Amino acid sequence: MNLEFKHLLPQDFAPASKVWVYQSNRLFSIPEAMEIGDLITRFCQGWTSHGDQVKAFGHLFFGQFIVLMADESACHVGGCSTDSSIRFIKELGEKFQVDLFNRTQLAFVRKDKVEILPLAQMDYAVENGFVNADTLFFNNTVHTKQQLENNWIIPVKDSWLASRLPKVGHTA
């Protein structure tokens, strides 16, 4: 699985640009992905904050992750404009019958594809070797363009999930 994505991000957006990552509970089909791409583009072109155009970017990554980005160096994104983006994502979820807001579903790269694992099964997955310290994890808690570039797809050992890993070198 090719995990290169940085070249798809806008180069003219500030590193502190706000980012929202929405993970689907399933992979979109190719026709769905094409339609979603068009809808994201349309939303970003019409996204405003207090009447001003938001410098916005949106993209469907890996057929499963919708990323919205707003460069606030051009226009502040207030509560109402954030609410409009959330409404847009909810509408996408309803249209395509997917859950884009379940933060207890974790995404990992396993066997060259994205696999979803419920947080409640994380300990079991570690104990049985399905997930280890070096398994790549989609850290959807990133909030800025810079964090997206550097901390979105990271080994579990470098994420907030590291505390779920067995302690190495610990003696009883």
Side-chain angles (χ1 to χ4, degrees):
M1 176 175 193
N2 181 356
L3 295 174
E4 295 299 317
F5 69 94
K6 295 175 190 176
H7 67 284
L8 298 170
L9 300 177
Q11 299 304 306
D12 63 333
F13 276 50
S17 295
K18 282 188 178 180
V19 166
W20 297 267
V21 179
Y22 299 95
Q23 173 184 301
S24 171
N25 59 321
R26 67 168 174 84
L27 184 68
F28 292 108
S29 69
I30 291 173
E32 286 175 328
M34 292 174 65
E35 185 176 353
I36 289 167
D38 290 343
L39 292 169
I40 291 170
T41 298
R42 246 183 287 155
F43 171 77
C44 288
Q45 290 171 345
W47 196 4
T48 61
S49 180
H50 303 288
D52 294 326
Q53 177 67 40
V54 173
K55 184 176 179 183
F57 166 82
H59 192 78
L60 175 63
F61 288 97
F62 310 115
Q64 202 157 350
F65 302 88
I66 297 171
V67 173
L68 295 180
M69 185 183 304
D71 186 344
E72 290 193 305
S73 66
C75 167
H76 175 72
V77 177
C80 291
S81 52
T82 300
D83 289 348
S84 70
S85 70
I86 292 169
R87 269 192 310 280
F88 167 68
I89 296 297
K90 283 182 180 176
E91 289 167 5
L92 285 179
E94 290 169 9
K95 179 175 178 68
F96 295 98
Q97 298 295 294
V98 295
D99 187 349
L100 296 163
F101 290 96
N102 188 344
R103 298 294 186 185
T104 65
Q105 297 290 310
L106 308 175
F108 300 90
V109 178
R110 281 196 22 93
K111 299 181 181 176
D112 220 25
K113 66 178 189 171
V114 175
E115 289 195 14
I116 303 296
L117 176 75
L119 178 60
Q121 293 179 9
M122 181 65 185
D123 292 340
Y124 176 85
V126 169
E127 290 168 13
N128 290 282
F130 297 113
V131 173
N132 63 45
D134 295 316
T135 302
L136 292 179
F137 169 62
F138 286 88
N139 176 26
N140 296 328
T141 64
V142 295
H143 295 292
T144 67
K145 179 185 179 204
Q146 185 172 31
Q147 289 175 350
L148 182 72
E149 292 172 330
N150 300 316
N151 297 310
W152 184 33
I153 305 171
I154 56 176
V156 170
K157 66 185 173 196
D158 297 333
S159 76
W160 60 270
L161 285 172
S163 64
R164 297 282 191 127
L165 297 172
K167 304 294 183 238
V168 178
H170 182 79
T171 57

